[in-house]
Each structure stands twice: as structure tokens, then as C-alpha cells.
Amino acid sequence: MLCHRGGVRAIAVDKTGTYMVTSGLDRKMKVFDIRSFKPLASYLLPAGATSMTMSQRGLLATCCGDTVQVYKDVCSTPVSRPYMAHRAPGRVWGVQFCPYEDVLGIGHGDGFTSMLVPGAGEANFDALDSNPFRSVKQRQEWEVKALLDKIQPELITLQPSKLGELDTATYQQRHKERVERLGFDPREKEKFEPKLKMKGRSSTGSVQRRKKKIKNEDQRELIKQSLEMKDRADKERKKEEKMTSLGQRSALERFQK
């Protein structure tokens, strides 16, 4: 595809992939329809654009030397003058629009400059098409879906003979690792040993009575210990009171009636 009489310096394509804008050494900027490979418009720039980019809403940004120019609707209508213009502190070597924002990033010899361009970003985004707030898992699912969309449905088939097969080697390896991890084989059946039970001993009522009896025996033992400790404390207290009373009693009190 012959676009210019000289070398091509910059190329920009819109997000739909329908229109392409090129700039060459002949100082011309041309708009092409990629579907038919035909030129739609041609513009003469003061100097050939060294870098170009298109926003989500169709705005075209070009840089020539230290000047950045933004054009509006270059693909649909003829343009006579730029929509916006900005002079950078140094020579501009690259421009790029920020997705879903009205911001144009400009890289020049003295650093980086951001430029506000109203109407450049898409305000209402389609989460199923391109979600700027998607998580890592959502991005991975979107990549898989995009790959599947490229494959023809006729090529996505299953072999019925492979569905009923079992990978024996893999199954045995997983079972061996599980046995080593647990320390025993969970699939091994234990030998059945019947238990001899006395008649009426394993009934529900008997089991409950035995449980209640054991519970009462434990409580009885605790109550017995607490009573013994209480009696021992009472005896010691009475003994101390008697010794105290004998020590304070006078010799004449024994003749008192």
C-alpha cells in the first residue's frame, strides 16, 4: 500500500480498526479506509508529524517539533484547523492518550507533560468489552475468551473415545502420594470382627442408666470430699474457740453458779 511519496514517519489507527492516519516526509497527513485501502482525506502540515495517536472518541494528536496539535473528526469530515494546540518546553518525541480519560501524555526532551483534551476519553465503558477496573482473575478470563473467539467453532470438538478413558498412571501416583501423606490407605477395607453383646445390655435405656450412674458417682465423690473438708474446718474452729475460752477464764469463775 503506497501511502506517501517519501518515507512514512508515523501511523495511527482508530480503536475500531476501520481508519488509519499516516504522516510522511512529504509533510502530508493522509486518512485511509482500511476496508477498501482508499484515501479519504489529505492535509498539509507545516512539518511532518513525528508521532501520532488516536483517542477512543476519534481525536487525533500529532507532534511536529515542539508543537502538539489535536484534530477532531478527521475521519468523517474535512478539517481546516486543529481542535487544540500546545507548545512543549522541548522537542516532542511521543504522544499517547490515556484510556477512559480526557488526558494526553506528551513526552519531550525536558521530561513529561500532561494535557487536558475535553472529549477524548470514552465516558461510558462496556465492562464486557474492556473494563478498566477488572481484577487479575477477570483479565485472565478475558484473555481466554479472546483466544476462543479467534478459533472457529467447527474446530472445537471432543473425541468420544477419550471421554471414558482413565489415566491409570496418574491415578496410581495420586493414590500413592495420599497414602504417604496420611500414613495409611483410606481405601483398604478393615477386617470385620463381630462384637458379642449380652441380651438387653446394649439397649438404649441401659446405656443411659449406665451413663447417669457414672455421672452420679462423680458428683457423689465431689460432694463427699466437700463435706469432709467442711467438717474438718468446723472441728478446728471449735477447738480454737475452746482453747481461747480456757485461757481467758479466771480461777473464781468455777465457783460461780
Side-chain angles (χ1 to χ4, degrees), residues 1 3 9 26 42 50 59 67 84 89 100 103 111 113 122 131 149 166 181 188 194 209 224 248 250 252-253 257:
M1 182 176 179
C3 299
R9 304 186 66 182
D26 55 358
S42 178
T50 57
L59 272 69
T67 304
M84 296 181 67
Y100 305 102
V103 178
T113 303
E122 184 68 40
N131 186 4
D149 289 342
L166 179 65
R181 184 172 63 255
E188 185 179 1
R209 282 194 297 271
K224 185 178 179 180
Q248 296 177 356
S250 64
L252 298 177
E253 285 181 359
K257 294 182 180 180

PDB file of all heavy atoms in Angstrom, residues 1 3 9 26 42 50 59 67 84 89 100 103 111 113 122 131 149 166 181 188 194 209 224 248 250 252-253 257:
ATOM      1  N   MET A   1       0.855  -1.183   0.000  1.00  0.00           N
ATOM      2  CA  MET A   1       0.000   0.000   0.000  1.00  0.00           C
ATOM      3  C   MET A   1       0.898   1.243   0.000  1.00  0.00           C
ATOM      4  O   MET A   1       1.631   1.497   0.956  1.00  0.00           O
ATOM      5  CB  MET A   1      -0.911  -0.004   1.235  1.00  0.00           C
ATOM      6  CG  MET A   1      -1.869   1.169   1.306  1.00  0.00           C
ATOM      7  SD  MET A   1      -2.981   1.026   2.723  1.00  0.00           S
ATOM      8  CE  MET A   1      -3.909   2.543   2.535  1.00  0.00           C
ATOM      9  N   CYS A   3       1.434   4.893   0.541  1.00  0.00           N
ATOM     10  CA  CYS A   3       0.759   5.971   1.255  1.00  0.00           C
ATOM     11  C   CYS A   3       1.351   7.341   0.932  1.00  0.00           C
ATOM     12  O   CYS A   3       0.602   8.314   0.789  1.00  0.00           O
ATOM     13  CB  CYS A   3       0.839   5.732   2.769  1.00  0.00           C
ATOM     14  SG  CYS A   3       0.057   4.199   3.320  1.00  0.00           S
ATOM     15  N   ARG A   9       6.563   8.386   8.505  1.00  0.00           N
ATOM     16  CA  ARG A   9       7.141   8.730   9.803  1.00  0.00           C
ATOM     17  C   ARG A   9       6.268   8.288  10.974  1.00  0.00           C
ATOM     18  O   ARG A   9       6.782   7.981  12.042  1.00  0.00           O
ATOM     19  CB  ARG A   9       7.379  10.241   9.889  1.00  0.00           C
ATOM     20  CG  ARG A   9       8.257  10.786   8.770  1.00  0.00           C
ATOM     21  CD  ARG A   9       8.571  12.250   8.995  1.00  0.00           C
ATOM     22  NE  ARG A   9       9.402  12.439  10.194  1.00  0.00           N
ATOM     23  CZ  ARG A   9       9.788  13.645  10.629  1.00  0.00           C
ATOM     24  NH1 ARG A   9       9.418  14.742   9.957  1.00  0.00           N
ATOM     25  NH2 ARG A   9      10.535  13.754  11.693  1.00  0.00           N
ATOM     26  N   ASP A  26       6.881  13.867   3.117  1.00  0.00           N
ATOM     27  CA  ASP A  26       6.355  14.879   2.196  1.00  0.00           C
ATOM     28  C   ASP A  26       5.488  15.912   2.912  1.00  0.00           C
ATOM     29  O   ASP A  26       4.787  16.694   2.250  1.00  0.00           O
ATOM     30  CB  ASP A  26       5.562  14.208   1.077  1.00  0.00           C
ATOM     31  CG  ASP A  26       4.463  13.304   1.613  1.00  0.00           C
ATOM     32  OD1 ASP A  26       4.352  13.175   2.862  1.00  0.00           O
ATOM     33  OD2 ASP A  26       3.730  12.704   0.805  1.00  0.00           O
ATOM     34  N   SER A  42      -6.592  14.294   2.739  1.00  0.00           N
ATOM     35  CA  SER A  42      -5.164  14.583   2.782  1.00  0.00           C
ATOM     36  C   SER A  42      -4.983  16.005   3.292  1.00  0.00           C
ATOM     37  O   SER A  42      -5.679  16.933   2.841  1.00  0.00           O
ATOM     38  CB  SER A  42      -4.527  14.431   1.399  1.00  0.00           C
ATOM     39  OG  SER A  42      -3.162  14.763   1.432  1.00  0.00           O
ATOM     40  N   THR A  50       6.050  13.646  13.643  1.00  0.00           N
ATOM     41  CA  THR A  50       6.968  12.584  14.078  1.00  0.00           C
ATOM     42  C   THR A  50       6.269  11.504  14.898  1.00  0.00           C
ATOM     43  O   THR A  50       6.773  10.390  15.011  1.00  0.00           O
ATOM     44  CB  THR A  50       8.095  13.191  14.915  1.00  0.00           C
ATOM     45  OG1 THR A  50       7.526  13.911  16.027  1.00  0.00           O
ATOM     46  CG2 THR A  50       8.916  14.157  14.080  1.00  0.00           C
ATOM     47  N   LEU A  59     -10.308  11.473  18.359  1.00  0.00           N
ATOM     48  CA  LEU A  59      -9.458  12.655  18.274  1.00  0.00           C
ATOM     49  C   LEU A  59      -8.038  12.225  17.916  1.00  0.00           C
ATOM     50  O   LEU A  59      -7.535  11.225  18.414  1.00  0.00           O
ATOM     51  CB  LEU A  59      -9.457  13.414  19.599  1.00  0.00           C
ATOM     52  CG  LEU A  59     -10.577  14.461  19.781  1.00  0.00           C
ATOM     53  CD1 LEU A  59     -11.929  13.770  19.918  1.00  0.00           C
ATOM     54  CD2 LEU A  59     -10.302  15.335  20.992  1.00  0.00           C
ATOM     55  N   THR A  67       5.667  21.321  18.988  1.00  0.00           N
ATOM     56  CA  THR A  67       4.250  21.680  18.945  1.00  0.00           C
ATOM     57  C   THR A  67       3.393  20.420  18.866  1.00  0.00           C
ATOM     58  O   THR A  67       3.673  19.518  18.075  1.00  0.00           O
ATOM     59  CB  THR A  67       3.945  22.585  17.742  1.00  0.00           C
ATOM     60  OG1 THR A  67       4.789  23.733  17.787  1.00  0.00           O
ATOM     61  CG2 THR A  67       2.488  23.021  17.744  1.00  0.00           C
ATOM     62  N   MET A  84      -7.123  21.734  19.116  1.00  0.00           N
ATOM     63  CA  MET A  84      -6.326  22.313  20.186  1.00  0.00           C
ATOM     64  C   MET A  84      -4.860  22.283  19.777  1.00  0.00           C
ATOM     65  O   MET A  84      -4.466  21.480  18.911  1.00  0.00           O
ATOM     66  CB  MET A  84      -6.512  21.550  21.513  1.00  0.00           C
ATOM     67  CG  MET A  84      -7.907  21.611  22.092  1.00  0.00           C
ATOM     68  SD  MET A  84      -8.023  20.718  23.667  1.00  0.00           S
ATOM     69  CE  MET A  84      -6.979  21.738  24.697  1.00  0.00           C
ATOM     70  N   PRO A  89       7.902  22.354  26.348  1.00  0.00           N
ATOM     71  CA  PRO A  89       9.185  23.014  26.681  1.00  0.00           C
ATOM     72  C   PRO A  89      10.341  22.541  25.810  1.00  0.00           C
ATOM     73  O   PRO A  89      11.290  23.297  25.584  1.00  0.00           O
ATOM     74  CB  PRO A  89       9.408  22.618  28.150  1.00  0.00           C
ATOM     75  CG  PRO A  89       8.070  22.231  28.662  1.00  0.00           C
ATOM     76  CD  PRO A  89       7.331  21.647  27.496  1.00  0.00           C
ATOM     77  N   TYR A 100     -10.066   6.112  28.712  1.00  0.00           N
ATOM     78  CA  TYR A 100     -11.194   6.493  29.565  1.00  0.00           C
ATOM     79  C   TYR A 100     -10.920   7.785  30.347  1.00  0.00           C
ATOM     80  O   TYR A 100     -11.555   8.040  31.369  1.00  0.00           O
ATOM     81  CB  TYR A 100     -11.536   5.356  30.545  1.00  0.00           C
ATOM     82  CG  TYR A 100     -11.792   4.059  29.859  1.00  0.00           C
ATOM     83  CD1 TYR A 100     -10.824   3.062  29.837  1.00  0.00           C
ATOM     84  CD2 TYR A 100     -12.999   3.816  29.217  1.00  0.00           C
ATOM     85  CE1 TYR A 100     -11.048   1.858  29.204  1.00  0.00           C
ATOM     86  CE2 TYR A 100     -13.233   2.617  28.579  1.00  0.00           C
ATOM     87  CZ  TYR A 100     -12.254   1.641  28.567  1.00  0.00           C
ATOM     88  OH  TYR A 100     -12.482   0.441  27.928  1.00  0.00           O
ATOM     89  N   VAL A 103      -7.169  12.972  28.920  1.00  0.00           N
ATOM     90  CA  VAL A 103      -5.792  13.377  29.200  1.00  0.00           C
ATOM     91  C   VAL A 103      -4.894  12.863  28.080  1.00  0.00           C
ATOM     92  O   VAL A 103      -5.008  11.716  27.640  1.00  0.00           O
ATOM     93  CB  VAL A 103      -5.311  12.838  30.557  1.00  0.00           C
ATOM     94  CG1 VAL A 103      -3.855  13.226  30.808  1.00  0.00           C
ATOM     95  CG2 VAL A 103      -6.198  13.355  31.682  1.00  0.00           C
ATOM     96  N   GLY A 111      11.267  16.227  29.711  1.00  0.00           N
ATOM     97  CA  GLY A 111      10.509  15.394  30.647  1.00  0.00           C
ATOM     98  C   GLY A 111       9.154  15.001  30.092  1.00  0.00           C
ATOM     99  O   GLY A 111       9.020  14.629  28.920  1.00  0.00           O
ATOM    100  N   THR A 113       4.781  15.897  30.093  1.00  0.00           N
ATOM    101  CA  THR A 113       3.729  16.878  30.316  1.00  0.00           C
ATOM    102  C   THR A 113       2.392  16.241  29.995  1.00  0.00           C
ATOM    103  O   THR A 113       2.265  15.502  29.008  1.00  0.00           O
ATOM    104  CB  THR A 113       3.932  18.122  29.426  1.00  0.00           C
ATOM    105  OG1 THR A 113       5.219  18.677  29.692  1.00  0.00           O
ATOM    106  CG2 THR A 113       2.851  19.163  29.697  1.00  0.00           C
ATOM    107  N   GLU A 122     -13.468   7.786  26.484  1.00  0.00           N
ATOM    108  CA  GLU A 122     -14.809   7.188  26.478  1.00  0.00           C
ATOM    109  C   GLU A 122     -15.369   7.278  27.881  1.00  0.00           C
ATOM    110  O   GLU A 122     -14.807   6.727  28.832  1.00  0.00           O
ATOM    111  CB  GLU A 122     -14.730   5.728  26.023  1.00  0.00           C
ATOM    112  CG  GLU A 122     -16.070   5.057  25.901  1.00  0.00           C
ATOM    113  CD  GLU A 122     -16.905   5.637  24.768  1.00  0.00           C
ATOM    114  OE1 GLU A 122     -16.343   5.926  23.705  1.00  0.00           O
ATOM    115  OE2 GLU A 122     -18.133   5.800  24.963  1.00  0.00           O
ATOM    116  N   ASN A 131     -12.930  -3.489  30.476  1.00  0.00           N
ATOM    117  CA  ASN A 131     -13.230  -2.978  31.814  1.00  0.00           C
ATOM    118  C   ASN A 131     -11.948  -2.438  32.438  1.00  0.00           C
ATOM    119  O   ASN A 131     -11.025  -3.192  32.733  1.00  0.00           O
ATOM    120  CB  ASN A 131     -13.811  -4.088  32.676  1.00  0.00           C
ATOM    121  CG  ASN A 131     -14.279  -3.571  34.027  1.00  0.00           C
ATOM    122  OD1 ASN A 131     -14.236  -2.366  34.294  1.00  0.00           O
ATOM    123  ND2 ASN A 131     -14.721  -4.465  34.879  1.00  0.00           N
ATOM    124  N   ASP A 149     -12.495 -16.800  20.912  1.00  0.00           N
ATOM    125  CA  ASP A 149     -13.237 -16.115  19.849  1.00  0.00           C
ATOM    126  C   ASP A 149     -12.498 -16.180  18.510  1.00  0.00           C
ATOM    127  O   ASP A 149     -13.121 -16.110  17.449  1.00  0.00           O
ATOM    128  CB  ASP A 149     -13.473 -14.653  20.233  1.00  0.00           C
ATOM    129  CG  ASP A 149     -14.488 -14.524  21.360  1.00  0.00           C
ATOM    130  OD1 ASP A 149     -15.231 -15.510  21.588  1.00  0.00           O
ATOM    131  OD2 ASP A 149     -14.522 -13.473  22.017  1.00  0.00           O
ATOM    132  N   LEU A 166      -9.284 -43.548  31.479  1.00  0.00           N
ATOM    133  CA  LEU A 166      -8.746 -43.113  32.759  1.00  0.00           C
ATOM    134  C   LEU A 166      -7.231 -43.193  32.707  1.00  0.00           C
ATOM    135  O   LEU A 166      -6.672 -44.210  32.287  1.00  0.00           O
ATOM    136  CB  LEU A 166      -9.271 -43.991  33.904  1.00  0.00           C
ATOM    137  CG  LEU A 166      -8.765 -43.653  35.307  1.00  0.00           C
ATOM    138  CD1 LEU A 166      -9.270 -42.275  35.715  1.00  0.00           C
ATOM    139  CD2 LEU A 166      -9.234 -44.690  36.315  1.00  0.00           C
ATOM    140  N   ARG A 181       1.058 -39.355  52.606  1.00  0.00           N
ATOM    141  CA  ARG A 181       0.719 -38.170  53.380  1.00  0.00           C
ATOM    142  C   ARG A 181      -0.094 -38.519  54.622  1.00  0.00           C
ATOM    143  O   ARG A 181       0.131 -37.946  55.696  1.00  0.00           O
ATOM    144  CB  ARG A 181      -0.055 -37.183  52.488  1.00  0.00           C
ATOM    145  CG  ARG A 181      -0.368 -35.860  53.177  1.00  0.00           C
ATOM    146  CD  ARG A 181      -0.949 -34.856  52.224  1.00  0.00           C
ATOM    147  NE  ARG A 181      -2.224 -35.284  51.676  1.00  0.00           N
ATOM    148  CZ  ARG A 181      -2.400 -35.738  50.443  1.00  0.00           C
ATOM    149  NH1 ARG A 181      -1.368 -35.804  49.609  1.00  0.00           N
ATOM    150  NH2 ARG A 181      -3.593 -36.113  50.012  1.00  0.00           N
ATOM    151  N   GLU A 188      -8.308 -49.139  51.898  1.00  0.00           N
ATOM    152  CA  GLU A 188      -8.162 -50.508  52.367  1.00  0.00           C
ATOM    153  C   GLU A 188      -9.293 -50.862  53.333  1.00  0.00           C
ATOM    154  O   GLU A 188      -9.536 -50.156  54.317  1.00  0.00           O
ATOM    155  CB  GLU A 188      -6.810 -50.682  53.057  1.00  0.00           C
ATOM    156  CG  GLU A 188      -6.533 -52.119  53.475  1.00  0.00           C
ATOM    157  CD  GLU A 188      -5.186 -52.252  54.132  1.00  0.00           C
ATOM    158  OE1 GLU A 188      -4.508 -51.212  54.270  1.00  0.00           O
ATOM    159  OE2 GLU A 188      -4.809 -53.371  54.510  1.00  0.00           O
ATOM    160  N   PRO A 194     -17.166 -59.336  64.532  1.00  0.00           N
ATOM    161  CA  PRO A 194     -18.432 -59.113  65.258  1.00  0.00           C
ATOM    162  C   PRO A 194     -18.214 -59.016  66.759  1.00  0.00           C
ATOM    163  O   PRO A 194     -17.378 -59.720  67.327  1.00  0.00           O
ATOM    164  CB  PRO A 194     -19.265 -60.338  64.877  1.00  0.00           C
ATOM    165  CG  PRO A 194     -18.266 -61.374  64.521  1.00  0.00           C
ATOM    166  CD  PRO A 194     -17.098 -60.671  63.918  1.00  0.00           C
ATOM    167  N   ARG A 209     -28.834 -45.383  81.580  1.00  0.00           N
ATOM    168  CA  ARG A 209     -28.717 -45.603  83.028  1.00  0.00           C
ATOM    169  C   ARG A 209     -27.262 -45.715  83.457  1.00  0.00           C
ATOM    170  O   ARG A 209     -26.867 -45.172  84.497  1.00  0.00           O
ATOM    171  CB  ARG A 209     -29.485 -46.865  83.424  1.00  0.00           C
ATOM    172  CG  ARG A 209     -30.995 -46.658  83.510  1.00  0.00           C
ATOM    173  CD  ARG A 209     -31.658 -47.805  84.230  1.00  0.00           C
ATOM    174  NE  ARG A 209     -31.491 -49.068  83.502  1.00  0.00           N
ATOM    175  CZ  ARG A 209     -32.330 -49.511  82.566  1.00  0.00           C
ATOM    176  NH1 ARG A 209     -33.394 -48.778  82.223  1.00  0.00           N
ATOM    177  NH2 ARG A 209     -32.120 -50.648  81.950  1.00  0.00           N
ATOM    178  N   LYS A 224     -18.906 -35.629  98.672  1.00  0.00           N
ATOM    179  CA  LYS A 224     -18.316 -36.258  99.852  1.00  0.00           C
ATOM    180  C   LYS A 224     -17.034 -35.546 100.270  1.00  0.00           C
ATOM    181  O   LYS A 224     -16.798 -35.279 101.459  1.00  0.00           O
ATOM    182  CB  LYS A 224     -18.032 -37.727  99.553  1.00  0.00           C
ATOM    183  CG  LYS A 224     -17.516 -38.510 100.754  1.00  0.00           C
ATOM    184  CD  LYS A 224     -17.317 -39.970 100.373  1.00  0.00           C
ATOM    185  CE  LYS A 224     -16.772 -40.762 101.565  1.00  0.00           C
ATOM    186  NZ  LYS A 224     -16.556 -42.196 101.213  1.00  0.00           N
ATOM    187  N   GLN A 248      -8.807 -17.369 128.843  1.00  0.00           N
ATOM    188  CA  GLN A 248      -9.344 -16.109 129.373  1.00  0.00           C
ATOM    189  C   GLN A 248     -10.163 -16.315 130.662  1.00  0.00           C
ATOM    190  O   GLN A 248     -10.549 -15.348 131.302  1.00  0.00           O
ATOM    191  CB  GLN A 248     -10.217 -15.432 128.299  1.00  0.00           C
ATOM    192  CG  GLN A 248      -9.434 -15.014 127.064  1.00  0.00           C
ATOM    193  CD  GLN A 248     -10.346 -14.421 126.018  1.00  0.00           C
ATOM    194  OE1 GLN A 248     -11.575 -14.396 126.220  1.00  0.00           O
ATOM    195  NE2 GLN A 248      -9.740 -13.925 124.932  1.00  0.00           N
ATOM    196  N   SER A 250     -11.032 -16.942 134.588  1.00  0.00           N
ATOM    197  CA  SER A 250     -10.346 -16.704 135.875  1.00  0.00           C
ATOM    198  C   SER A 250     -10.526 -17.886 136.819  1.00  0.00           C
ATOM    199  O   SER A 250     -11.356 -18.772 136.591  1.00  0.00           O
ATOM    200  CB  SER A 250     -10.853 -15.418 136.520  1.00  0.00           C
ATOM    201  OG  SER A 250     -12.233 -15.552 136.833  1.00  0.00           O
ATOM    202  N   LEU A 252     -11.816 -17.863 139.920  1.00  0.00           N
ATOM    203  CA  LEU A 252     -13.043 -17.796 140.740  1.00  0.00           C
ATOM    204  C   LEU A 252     -14.293 -18.121 139.954  1.00  0.00           C
ATOM    205  O   LEU A 252     -15.367 -18.279 140.540  1.00  0.00           O
ATOM    206  CB  LEU A 252     -13.165 -16.407 141.340  1.00  0.00           C
ATOM    207  CG  LEU A 252     -12.031 -15.983 142.299  1.00  0.00           C
ATOM    208  CD1 LEU A 252     -12.216 -14.560 142.779  1.00  0.00           C
ATOM    209  CD2 LEU A 252     -11.942 -16.939 143.499  1.00  0.00           C
ATOM    210  N   GLU A 253     -14.185 -18.205 138.623  1.00  0.00           N
ATOM    211  CA  GLU A 253     -15.392 -18.436 137.835  1.00  0.00           C
ATOM    212  C   GLU A 253     -15.922 -19.864 137.990  1.00  0.00           C
ATOM    213  O   GLU A 253     -17.084 -20.114 137.713  1.00  0.00           O
ATOM    214  CB  GLU A 253     -15.082 -18.178 136.352  1.00  0.00           C
ATOM    215  CG  GLU A 253     -14.978 -16.698 136.039  1.00  0.00           C
ATOM    216  CD  GLU A 253     -14.693 -16.471 134.561  1.00  0.00           C
ATOM    217  OE1 GLU A 253     -14.568 -17.445 133.800  1.00  0.00           O
ATOM    218  OE2 GLU A 253     -14.598 -15.293 134.159  1.00  0.00           O
ATOM    219  N   LYS A 257     -22.266 -19.875 140.167  1.00  0.00           N
ATOM    220  CA  LYS A 257     -23.395 -20.707 139.818  1.00  0.00           C
ATOM    221  C   LYS A 257     -24.023 -20.225 138.536  1.00  0.00           C
ATOM    222  O   LYS A 257     -24.111 -19.064 138.302  1.00  0.00           O
ATOM    223  CB  LYS A 257     -24.415 -20.684 140.934  1.00  0.00           C
ATOM    224  CG  LYS A 257     -23.904 -21.332 142.219  1.00  0.00           C
ATOM    225  CD  LYS A 257     -24.985 -21.310 143.264  1.00  0.00           C
ATOM    226  CE  LYS A 257     -24.507 -21.959 144.592  1.00  0.00           C
ATOM    227  NZ  LYS A 257     -25.532 -21.968 145.633  1.00  0.00           N
TER     228      LYS A 257
END
